[in-house]
């Protein structure tokens, strides 16, 4: 009898192994455990948009994950863009499925009516007067411009001609709210060019001795047929359309990147891409004619014909030589601003000034006026009124930023901020803006010399957002309001210009973000929205922000999550550590706490937190600072610092009783995947790794990667030391590699995972490679996400979970 029992057990075991092996061999999409799948399919909390007069909000209902069938539709990959040839729009776009108009005071809601069934809604914006909203609506194979009356929610199609929504904004409101400028497909443009089955000749690229370093871009043009397709789908016509549907064509057709009306509506800033195209760089570096048109389409002034930018120097602060960054001043009717590189665009040149900022007012016939020379690279400008503007500049090498207060009328300037921008604790924040009479965003100026500033309020206790009053004369801040524990609350929009009444978004560990009207004077607040917890089964998740030290004394931080109902001290759990390394130039900045213990635990379908539902503890956002102070670069000691940070994270988890040393996995996405592979190669801290959409061979990104500005030829030893591919023989823990077959992120070619897997397999490592069809750098299709999570749960169960073991 005993032998029969043993025989039956062996037969059952053999059958189980057979079934499990058959499942593994099955190449169909798999479903993860129900607890995980339920989180993937949980309702998505809506987004909110506030009207210009702060009397209404739009509640934007978001879609759930699309199907793999939707993601499998035909797609063109041209010039760095991904185009849906069926509707002449971008492929893989996010969209809304419904819009509700809510009165802030009464709470009355009106659903937008008149849209096609199953409409996909995007590019939603209020008219400057707040009486209308415009939106891009995709229905079937057409993308159309719709408007809706905010008073009653009635929507209508404004243009019969479909929009060209591939690149840049497909429309702009005119400042009087009486009409819009839109970009449409040409009527009667004919069929797209067909590829010849017989080549006319070879594809030839030639360089006449000029330096043209470029990062590793994907989806580039590769032949004459690609060029023809690019021109066909990108060519558009600009029109002006009224609320009654009256259409007036403006200018000639072209590959139009931008057609933005001036604040007063009398001119249009037009950017038109033209040949020669490039097989080396993406569309944003193609030659572009930048000019000003009148409302009839006549060219008033050519600002610049920007040449093909294949030869921009390598470096974070490198730019094209000459004028660039053209835009309308938002504080006046019609005046252009731009920056001009004084160093030829090369950040390595030793010059007194890098950039000069100019303005050029209508009628654009005079000489441009210089308002400021900058010792750092121009990074942006915020306009207030004709007497106040804030010009910002940055330098990557030292992580330094400056802000200058400028009087555009007199060109009087004074530096008001000079700081190391990676220092989160001393960030003064950013100016609060409002809409002016043109419907353009401008800074709020109090008493002619004070700005309202909002910021994250980073501190050793975590982020505590604030509202400050910043005096431009004394350069000092006065605190008006700061959020209080146990909530994370931040200012979204100002109701009163004095900073006393504003709209906030407020959340806590177990309460999703909702919107409130808050008064500083009596500290009262009133709810605007009542969004419910999207996954109530996850209420009670234990969340704790931790701080701990690395062996070299660097302070680290992370957020610990435990499954619902599990408390610290209840016994060890299998643990997933999820991280993403960051580079720093100062020890002080690297040691600062990141995040807040009071934020709602949002669990997106691809978040590591989803494993909480399956009984795993998660250490999220474990800081992995890579520091290079002074003349050293951070990556000079990448591996040593990375391993030290990981060891510190594992140690504190074991010391706190969260897990045991033989139940810890490491995972990450993109540069986090690169980190994961390096940790398995250079340490024995973890039992397994999960690496999603990573790059593993840095010789395939020879002109720099992440924050590394040196090329492969300048620092070959750094590229070798940091490449997990070069150390594949050292990996002795199981690693799961997941990658989208259509990854278009710079540097993370799908071949990176394929070649790394081949290297691991060749050295006998335990490894698995999962290539997700039609997926890009992030994963979108429901089937792909579910399968990715099935692979993750199965991998962790197999190699990390140690039931009943110490």
């Amino acid at each position: 009898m005993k032998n029969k029992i043993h025989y039956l057990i062996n037969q059952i075991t053999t059958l189980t192994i057979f079934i499990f092996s058959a499942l593994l061999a099955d190449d169909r999409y798999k479903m993860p455990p129900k607890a995980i799948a339920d989180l993937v399919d949980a309702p998505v909390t809506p987004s909110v948009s506030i009207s210009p007069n702060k009397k209404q909000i739009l509640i934007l209902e978001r879609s759930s994950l699309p199907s793999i069938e939707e993601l499998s539709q035909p797609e063109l990959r041209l010039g760095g863009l991904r185009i849906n040839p069926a509707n002449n729009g971008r492929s893989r776009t996010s969209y809304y499925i419904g819009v509700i108009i809510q009165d802030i005071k009464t709470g009355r809601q009106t659903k937008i009516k008149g849209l096609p069934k199953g409409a996909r809604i995007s590019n939603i914006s209020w008219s400057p007067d707040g009486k209308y909203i415009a939106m891009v609506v995709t229905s079937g194979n057409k993308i159309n411009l719709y408007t809706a009356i905010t008073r009653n929610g009635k929507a209508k199609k404004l243009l019969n001609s479909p929009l060209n929504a591939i690149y840049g904004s497909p429309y702009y409101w005119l400042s009087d709210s009486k009409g819009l400028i839109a970009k449409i497909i040409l009527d009667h443009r004919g069929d797209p060019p067909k590829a010849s089955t017989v080549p006319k000749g070879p594809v030839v690229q030639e360089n006449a001795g000029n330096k043209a370093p470029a990062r590793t871009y994907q989806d580039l043009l590769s032949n004459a047929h690609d060029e023809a397709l690019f021109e066909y789908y990108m060519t558009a016509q600009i029109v002006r359309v009224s609320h009654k549907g009256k259409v007036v064509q403006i200018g000639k057709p072209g590959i139009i990147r931008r057609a933005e009306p001036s604040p007063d509506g009398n001119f249009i800033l037009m950017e038109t891409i033209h040949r020669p195209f490039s097989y080396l760089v993406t569309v944003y570096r193609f030659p572009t004619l930048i000019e000003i048109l009148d409302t009839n389409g006549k060219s008033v002034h050519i600002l610049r014909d920007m040449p093909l930018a294949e030869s921009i120097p390598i470096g974070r602060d490198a730019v094209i030589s000459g004028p660039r960054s053209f835009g309308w001043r938002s504080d006046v009717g019609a005046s252009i601003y731009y920056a001009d590189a004084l160093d030829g665009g090369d950040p390595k040149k030793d010059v007194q000034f890098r950039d000069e900022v100019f303005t050029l007012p209508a009628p654009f016939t005079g000489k441009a006026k210089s308002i400021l020379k900058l010792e750092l690279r121009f990074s942006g400008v915020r306009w207030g009124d004709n007497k106040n503007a804030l010009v910002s500049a940055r330098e990557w090498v030292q992580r330094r930023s400056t802000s200058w207060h400028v009087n555009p009328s007199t060109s009087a300037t004074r530096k008001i901020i000079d700081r190391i921008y990676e220092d989160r604790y001393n960030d003064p924040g950013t100016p609060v803006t409002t809409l002016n009479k043109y419907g353009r965003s401008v800074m709020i100026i109090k008493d002619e010399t004070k700005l309202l500033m909002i910021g994250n309020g980073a501190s050793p206790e975590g982020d505590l957002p604030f509202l400050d009053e910043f005096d431009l004369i004394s350069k000092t801040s006065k605190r008006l309001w700061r959020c209080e524990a146990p909530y994370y609350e931040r200012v979204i929009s100002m109701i009163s210009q004095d900073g006393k009444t504003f709209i906030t978004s407020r959340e806590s560990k177990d309460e999703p973000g909702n919107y409130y009207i808050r008064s500083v004077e009596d500290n009262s607040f009133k709810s605007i929205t009542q969004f419910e917890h999207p996954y109530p089964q996850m209420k009670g998740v234990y969340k704790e922000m931790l701080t701990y030290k690395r062996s070299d004394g660097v302070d680290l931080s992370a957020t610990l999550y435990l499954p619902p109902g599990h408390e610290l001290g209840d016994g060890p759990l299998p643990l997933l550590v999820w991280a993403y390394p960051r580079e720093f130039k100062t020890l002080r900045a690297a040691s600062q706490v990141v995040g807040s213990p009071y934020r709602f635990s949002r669990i997106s379908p691809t978040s590591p937190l989803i494993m909480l539902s399956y009984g795993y503890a998660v250490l999220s956002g474990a800081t992995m600072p890579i520091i290079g102070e002074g003349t050293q670069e951070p990556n000079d000691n990448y591996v040593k610092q990375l391993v030290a940070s990981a060891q510190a994270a594992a140690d504190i988890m074991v010391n706190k009783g969260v897990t045991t040393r033989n139940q810890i996995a490491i995972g990450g996405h993109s540069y986090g995947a690169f980190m994961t592979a390096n940790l398995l190669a250079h340490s024995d801290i973890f039992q397994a790794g999960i690496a999603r959409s990573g790059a593993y061979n840095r010789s395939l990104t020879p002109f720099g990667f992440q924050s590394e500005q040196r090329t492969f030829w300048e620092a070959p030893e750094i590229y070798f030391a940091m490449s997990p591919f070069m150390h594949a023989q050292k990996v002795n823990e199981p690693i799961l590699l997941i990658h989208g077959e259509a990854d278009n992120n710079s540097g993370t070619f799908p071949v990176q995972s394929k070649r790394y897997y081949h290297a691991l397999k060749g050295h006998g490592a335990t490894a698995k490679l999962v290539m997700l069809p039609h997926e890009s750098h992030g994963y979108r299709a429901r089937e792909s996400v579910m399968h990715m999570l099935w692979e993750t749960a199965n991998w962790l169960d197999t190699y990390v979970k140690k039931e009943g073991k110490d």
Side-chain angles (χ1 to χ4, degrees):
M1 182 69 179
K2 191 174 182 180
N3 289 335
K4 286 184 178 181
I5 292 172
H6 279 299
Y7 173 78
L8 288 172
I9 290 172
N10 287 334
Q11 289 293 95
I12 293 170
T13 302
T14 302
L15 181 62
T16 302
I17 292 172
F18 174 78
I19 293 171
F20 184 68
S21 299
L23 284 173
L24 288 179
D26 185 3
D27 60 358
R28 291 174 295 180
Y29 289 106
K30 310 292 193 308
M31 285 292 289
K34 185 177 184 302
I36 292 177
D38 286 346
L39 283 181
V40 174
D41 290 332
V44 184
T45 301
S47 300
V48 167
S49 175
I50 302 168
S51 69
N53 60 14
K54 313 299 188 295
K55 293 182 178 180
Q56 294 171 305
I57 62 169
L58 298 180
I59 297 176
L60 309 173
E61 299 172 324
R62 294 190 283 177
S63 63
S64 56
L65 294 175
S67 68
I68 191 64
E69 180 182 4
E70 181 180 329
L71 216 64
S72 303
Q73 297 304 306
E75 177 182 68
L76 298 174
R77 300 169 187 174
L78 303 169
L81 301 175
R82 295 196 165 180
I83 299 168
N84 183 338
N87 60 24
N88 222 97
R90 296 290 290 269
S91 60
R92 305 169 185 269
T93 57
S94 299
Y95 53 86
Y96 303 106
I97 55 175
V99 181
I100 296 172
I101 304 167
Q102 177 178 315
D103 184 277
I104 290 179
K105 186 176 181 179
T106 65
R108 179 176 173 270
Q109 293 187 341
T110 304
K111 193 172 182 67
I112 295 289
K113 304 175 289 290
L115 300 179
K117 186 177 181 180
R120 300 176 179 182
I121 309 162
S122 61
N123 299 83
I124 300 172
S125 67
W126 295 88
S127 63
D129 64 7
K131 294 180 180 179
Y132 301 88
I133 60 169
M135 66 197 91
V136 172
V137 175
T138 302
S139 179
N141 289 333
K142 295 288 180 67
I143 301 177
N144 288 104
L145 178 63
Y146 277 69
T147 56
I149 302 170
T150 56
R151 176 173 43 83
N152 55 25
K154 290 183 178 179
K156 68 174 182 179
K157 182 166 66 176
L158 201 61
L159 273 169
N160 286 323
S161 298
L163 294 173
N164 189 319
I166 296 173
Y167 191 43
S169 177
Y171 72 86
Y172 289 94
W173 277 104
L174 293 170
S175 59
D176 61 6
S177 300
K178 293 181 179 179
L180 305 98
I181 300 293
K183 186 164 56 174
I184 63 171
I185 295 172
L186 302 186
D187 293 332
H188 314 297
R189 66 176 176 173
D191 295 329
K194 294 182 179 179
S196 173
T197 56
V198 180
K200 295 180 179 179
V203 176
V204 178
Q205 299 184 60
E206 183 178 3
N207 186 55
N210 297 316
K211 290 184 178 181
R215 297 246 175 175
T216 48
Y217 299 111
Q218 303 195 53
D219 299 343
L220 299 176
L221 300 179
S222 59
N223 52 48
H225 180 60
D226 280 356
E227 293 188 53
L229 285 173
F230 178 81
E231 214 160 26
Y232 174 85
Y233 285 103
M234 291 285 285
T235 300
Q237 174 68 53
I238 296 302
V239 298
R240 182 175 69 250
V241 56
S242 69
H243 285 297
K244 293 183 179 181
K246 181 181 178 182
V247 178
V248 178
Q249 289 193 358
I250 299 175
K252 300 176 182 179
I255 303 176
I256 298 164
R257 175 161 60 188
R258 181 184 188 187
E260 182 183 355
S262 59
D264 63 10
N266 294 326
F267 301 95
I268 295 171
L269 178 58
M270 179 80 87
E271 297 182 1
T272 308
I273 297 166
H274 61 82
R275 290 177 181 268
F277 304 141
S278 173
Y279 294 2
L280 183 65
V281 295
T282 58
V283 61
Y284 81 94
R285 288 196 183 185
F286 287 6
T288 305
L289 176 65
I290 303 169
E291 60 183 331
I292 299 170
L293 308 182
D294 64 19
T295 52
N296 296 316
K298 179 183 177 182
S299 181
V300 174
H301 182 72
I302 293 177
L303 292 164
R304 188 183 183 189
D305 194 350
M306 198 87 73
L308 176 63
E310 283 187 343
S311 302
I312 294 177
I314 284 290
R316 282 298 188 98
D317 292 329
V319 296
I320 192 169
S321 62
R324 70 183 195 285
S325 302
F326 296 91
W328 291 114
R329 283 181 55 177
S330 57
D331 59 333
V332 292
S335 183
I336 289 289
Y337 73 88
Y338 63 91
D340 190 356
L342 302 178
D343 58 0
D346 188 351
K348 294 181 181 178
K349 284 187 178 180
D350 185 12
V351 295
Q352 183 180 1
F353 297 108
R354 297 233 167 264
D355 273 333
E356 189 169 8
V357 183
F358 293 87
T359 59
L360 180 64
F364 316 107
T365 54
K367 184 180 178 181
K369 175 184 176 183
S370 173
I371 62 170
L372 179 64
K373 286 185 177 181
L374 296 164
E375 59 180 340
L376 309 183
R377 183 68 73 208
F378 170 79
S379 61
V381 58
R382 291 181 174 88
W383 303 99
D385 51 37
N386 203 31
K387 297 179 182 179
N388 293 282
L390 211 59
V391 178
S392 301
R394 277 194 170 198
E395 180 189 51
W396 169 255
V397 172
Q398 296 300 325
R399 312 300 197 267
R400 182 182 165 209
S401 69
T402 59
S403 295
W404 293 78
H405 176 228
V406 179
N407 185 325
S409 299
T410 64
S411 295
T413 63
R414 55 199 309 269
K415 187 192 297 184
I416 60 170
I417 297 171
D418 191 340
R419 59 184 295 269
I420 301 301
Y421 62 77
E422 64 182 14
D423 178 6
R424 301 177 73 249
Y425 288 179
N426 292 293
D427 186 351
T430 56
V432 180
T433 60
T434 189
L435 298 181
N436 63 9
K437 63 180 181 179
Y438 302 117
R440 301 298 176 99
S441 180
V442 293
M443 297 184 297
I444 295 176
I445 312 292
K446 281 185 63 181
D447 304 324
E448 298 186 349
T449 62
K450 296 180 177 66
L451 300 178
L452 295 179
M453 305 279 279
I454 54 174
N456 282 329
S459 73
E461 292 74 42
D463 294 347
L464 294 168
F466 63 81
L467 171 66
D468 280 1
E469 183 181 272
F470 184 85
D471 192 302
L472 293 167
I473 306 302
S474 66
K475 306 179 190 178
T476 58
S477 293
K478 173 186 175 184
R479 178 101 340 137
L480 301 180
W481 172 85
R482 190 172 194 176
C483 89
E484 297 179 354
Y487 291 94
Y488 177 87
E489 187 174 7
R490 58 193 176 91
V491 176
I492 300 297
S493 182
M494 204 59 56
I495 293 179
S496 62
Q497 300 290 306
D498 57 7
K500 293 182 178 180
T501 311
F502 44 88
I503 295 174
T504 68
S505 173
R506 185 173 189 251
E507 61 190 83
S508 69
K509 287 194 290 187
D510 274 324
E511 298 174 23
N514 273 291
Y515 291 80
Y516 296 82
I517 295 178
R518 179 173 283 281
S519 172
V520 171
E521 288 185 311
D522 58 6
N523 202 32
S524 63
F525 60 96
K526 178 185 176 184
S527 173
I528 299 174
T529 61
Q530 292 85 35
F531 300 137
E532 296 181 353
H533 199 301
Y535 14 83
Q537 71 271 34
M538 298 302 289
K539 284 184 177 179
V541 165
Y542 178 90
K543 179 180 180 180
E544 180 185 1
M545 179 171 284
L546 304 172
T547 56
Y548 49 101
K549 283 189 180 292
R550 202 162 73 180
S551 59
D552 58 2
V554 175
D555 291 323
L556 305 176
S557 63
T559 303
L560 171 64
Y561 296 85
L562 300 179
H566 197 98
E567 296 290 331
L568 207 60
D570 286 351
L573 293 169
L575 172 71
L576 174 61
V577 179
W578 200 264
Y580 190 96
R582 302 281 184 183
E583 298 86 350
F584 294 89
K585 285 299 293 180
T586 65
L587 173 62
R588 178 181 180 183
S591 297
Q592 293 179 352
V593 173
V594 177
S596 166
Y598 307 117
R599 298 213 68 170
F600 178 67
S601 300
R602 291 175 179 81
I603 306 177
S604 70
T606 57
S607 167
L609 299 185
I610 211 159
M611 295 307 298
L612 292 168
S613 68
Y614 195 50
Y616 282 79
V618 177
L619 189 68
S620 180
T623 54
M624 302 275 179
I626 311 298
I627 309 164
E629 293 192 289
T631 58
Q632 276 200 328
E633 288 295 323
N635 286 338
D636 290 350
N637 294 289
Y638 172 84
V639 170
K640 180 180 178 181
Q641 295 191 62
L642 184 69
V643 171
S645 295
Q647 187 65 64
D651 288 347
I652 190 174
M653 291 293 92
V654 173
N655 293 340
K656 289 178 74 70
V658 173
T659 189
T660 58
R661 292 206 182 272
N662 63 348
Q663 292 192 91
I664 312 176
I666 182 68
H669 187 94
S670 194
Y671 206 54
F674 175 73
M675 168 207 71
T676 297
N678 265 309
L679 285 170
L680 296 190
H682 299 291
S683 76
D684 294 309
I685 302 168
F686 303 100
Q687 279 60 62
I690 298 167
R692 301 193 321 217
S693 301
Y696 309 102
N697 184 349
R698 285 305 170 192
S699 70
L700 298 179
T701 57
F703 287 105
F705 59 91
Q706 202 69 9
S707 297
E708 180 56 66
Q709 297 192 102
R710 294 168 292 187
T711 70
F712 171 81
W713 299 273
E714 291 173 322
E717 70 287 352
I718 298 297
Y719 279 66
F720 184 90
M722 292 182 65
S723 294
F725 180 86
M726 308 302 181
H727 307 280
Q729 79 281 9
K730 300 177 184 178
V731 176
N732 55 11
E733 296 89 8
I735 183 168
L736 172 63
L737 303 172
I738 303 174
H739 214 122
E741 286 186 347
D743 191 337
N744 65 337
N745 182 57
S746 177
T748 54
F749 289 95
V751 73
Q752 288 270 8
S753 286
K754 292 179 180 179
R755 293 292 176 262
Y756 185 48
Y757 172 73
H758 292 164
L760 292 166
K761 184 175 182 179
H763 286 93
T766 300
K768 186 175 186 179
L769 173 63
V770 179
M771 302 298 296
L772 299 172
H774 303 294
E775 292 293 351
S776 186
H777 193 57
Y779 318 137
R780 287 176 50 86
R782 181 177 182 273
E783 292 87 344
S784 300
V785 171
M786 291 293 192
H787 186 89
M788 179 269 293
L789 293 170
W790 178 85
E791 296 280 7
T792 300
N794 182 64
W795 199 257
L796 293 177
D797 277 359
T798 303
Y799 298 109
V800 178
K801 185 181 284 186
K802 311 292 183 184
E803 298 281 4
K805 294 184 180 181
D806 293 331

